[in-house]
Amino acid sequence: MKKKRVSVLGATGSIGKNALDVIRADKDAFSPVLFSANSRAGQLASLSAEFPEAKVAFSGRREAAEAAGLDGRKNVFLGANALCEAIAEAGADVTLNGISGAAGLEPSIAALNSGSALALANKESIVMAGALVLKTAASRALPVIPVDSEHSAIFNLLRRQGREGLKELLLTASGGPFRTWSAERLKTATPQDALAHPTWNMGRKITIDSATLANKGLEVIEAARLFDIGADDIKVIVHPQSVIHSMIRMNNGAVYAQLSRPDMRLPIHEALRFPEAVPALCEELEFEGLCLNFEKPDLVRFPMLSLAYDALRAGGRYTIAYNAANECAVAAFLAGKISFTGISDVCRQTLDMDWSGEADDLPSILESDRLSRAASMV
Ligand code: NDP
Ligand code: MG
């Protein structure tokens, strides 16, 4: 079998490290051609030593690259603009985008423009620019394969069941570390409390988003765009064990679910090998003693979820504003500038402004992102 040429963007993050585990474990299937990072130059230098044929792109401070011995070497791309250049030159068959935040959007487009399939963990690309990303992919007949566990589950369920007779999507949510906290106690939640996720080990931004349920809000928008389905037909169900990754309900009443241990290596492996079936790398799910619970999400204690539905229904540039306001608010919370409940206050204030009017090309999407950030400064 010919090895797939793989680029891993955000190789030093949580998704990136899981992807490297998959690539090392299934080494006959993959040949890495590019790794990228933004601040952890030392880890990127180690990857470059382990995979000398692969290019590496470092978008952070030049001094950090120099200290790690990355400068002046062949196959090394340095600087903020170098990542898209490296993507264009890498010639990947599939690009895993594990960059966090809005910074992932341009690399997603660059990967598709280079002729690579897109294995997408960076949900912000779809929340900000779903139509543009999908149009770019369609114009080149390239697949966008979701890596987010919920969307990976739905993608696979819809491939197997077909869309005929589909009633609605049921997105599961762990509920995060504050699922049982009262509204009063939530006001006192610290970054340390919020970073202690009960079931998933992830980067800081998405971990805070899981605590506010903004992550589920972003995922509702992501699902609407990826699967071309309306807000009314996407339901969120809190399922603390994170064993059911999502479900689809059919008009005849049947519900189909995807179950596995909470381990991101499975959706990453499936996206990298798509459309082939993958050999088992992860531990099997044991049913003995397994107890699965379900609850309705509490939109009063977790207003970020209802704000996401509002933004999705409002259309225009509201989902760009939702994402940007949330990124600013999370950074302010982590910096100790605002309280945990202040995150939704910042987002509500930004969304109260007028974001009607479409932004459908990359420059206008990036400009809307910039304006939303300016409006969300705290
Ligand atoms: P991490 O914070 O762990 O990693 C982010 C990666 O992106 C790092 O490699 C980081 O580089 C790089 N990066 C950060 N900022 C920039 C930038 N401005 N330009 C270029 N590269 C940058 O995040 P996660 O791995 O947790 O999440 C990545 C994405 O995947 C997010 O969109 C998240 O929502 C999504 N996702 C994550 C899941 C998970 O389990 N972690 C599950 C589902 C989706 P460096 O480390 O060098 O600074
Ligand atoms: Mg998810």
Side-chain angles (χ1 to χ4, degrees):
M1 187 184 71
K2 190 172 162 278
K3 287 188 178 188
K4 261 192 169 176
R5 296 163 61 83
V6 181
S7 290
V8 181
L9 312 183
T12 48
S14 156
I15 288 287
K17 286 181 177 151
N18 277 303
L20 278 153
D21 276 359
V22 167
I23 289 168
R24 291 184 185 109
D26 194 7
K27 55 183 183 308
D28 292 339
F30 304 115
S31 163
V33 292
L34 171 65
F35 298 110
S36 86
N38 187 54
S39 64
R40 288 175 263 194
Q43 287 184 25
L44 196 61
S46 306
L47 283 174
S48 176
E50 182 181 349
F51 300 97
E53 298 308 315
K55 299 181 192 321
V56 297
F58 183 72
S59 41
R61 289 183 310 112
R62 188 164 279 269
E63 307 82 76
E66 283 167 14
L70 279 174
D71 61 316
R73 293 207 345 224
K74 98 170 183 9
N75 278 345
V76 174
F77 292 72
L78 298 181
N81 301 323
L83 176 56
C84 290
E85 202 186 311
I87 292 168
E89 286 192 21
D93 298 313
V94 58
T95 300
L96 174 75
N97 187 348
I99 292 174
S100 56
L105 172 58
E106 286 180 86
S108 284
I109 302 281
L112 291 167
N113 281 334
S114 79
S116 165
L118 183 60
L120 192 59
N122 179 263
K123 60 193 80 181
E124 295 85 350
S125 293
I126 295 293
V127 171
M128 295 171 72
L132 177 66
V133 170
L134 296 177
K135 191 176 81 183
T136 309
S139 70
R140 294 171 165 271
L142 293 165
V144 175
I145 314 119
V147 169
D148 215 347
S149 54
E150 297 76 1
H151 305 74
S152 169
I154 291 170
F155 181 75
N156 281 313
L157 290 165
L158 290 177
R159 276 180 72 214
R160 286 168 175 82
Q161 294 301 325
R163 281 192 77 126
E164 206 182 309
L166 174 69
K167 179 165 189 265
E168 60 187 7
L169 308 183
L170 303 168
L171 287 189
T172 49
S174 73
F178 303 144
R179 185 172 58 87
T180 58
W181 285 36
S182 68
E184 213 38 49
R185 191 171 170 211
L186 279 179
K187 292 183 188 157
T188 68
T190 65
Q192 209 184 353
D193 297 326
L195 287 168
H197 195 278
T199 47
W200 293 100
N201 185 8
M202 310 177 287
R204 284 161 70 86
K205 156 76 172 36
I206 185 177
T207 306
I208 302 298
D209 287 349
S210 300
T212 58
L213 293 199
N215 183 49
K216 213 46 58 180
L218 293 167
E219 290 182 357
V220 167
I221 301 168
E222 184 187 10
R225 303 265 158 80
L226 280 177
F227 305 116
D228 191 21
I229 197 158
D232 293 342
D233 298 324
I234 306 172
K235 304 270 157 60
V236 172
I237 301 167
V238 175
H239 161 50
Q241 293 83 9
S242 305
V243 164
I244 297 182
H245 296 300
S246 274
M247 302 179 266
I248 57 174
R249 194 198 303 271
M250 313 308 280
N251 286 326
N252 67 6
V255 175
Y256 298 97
Q258 192 249 314
L259 287 74
S260 56
R261 284 172 178 270
D263 185 334
M264 285 308 294
R265 289 176 304 168
L266 178 57
I268 290 170
H269 200 189
E270 292 201 304
L272 291 181
R273 274 226 181 190
F274 178 83
E276 285 167 34
V278 302
L281 289 186
C282 306
E283 249 182 283
E284 272 185 10
L285 181 66
E286 298 282 354
F287 282 93
E288 294 78 12
L290 187 65
C291 204
L292 303 181
N293 302 93
F294 305 92
E295 296 164 13
K296 217 177 150 135
D298 182 341
L299 300 181
V300 176
R301 280 183 305 135
F302 300 103
M304 286 304 292
L305 183 55
S306 53
L307 287 175
Y309 273 102
D310 294 346
L312 179 58
R313 289 192 174 103
R317 294 165 298 153
Y318 280 90
T319 62
I320 300 176
Y322 176 85
N323 180 63
N326 179 52
E327 277 191 31
C328 292
V330 168
F333 170 64
L334 286 171
K337 291 189 197 159
I338 60 171
S339 68
F340 180 77
T341 48
I343 296 175
S344 56
D345 296 337
V346 169
C347 293
R348 191 178 291 107
Q349 279 158 23
T350 301
L351 290 171
D352 277 344
M353 297 167 66
D354 182 5
W355 301 103
S356 58
E358 296 296 326
D360 39 26
D361 56 9
L362 190 57
S364 52
I365 290 165
L366 295 175
E367 175 61 6
S368 306
D369 175 63
R370 193 190 62 74
L371 290 173
S372 318
R373 281 168 202 271
S376 312
M377 290 296 273
V378 282

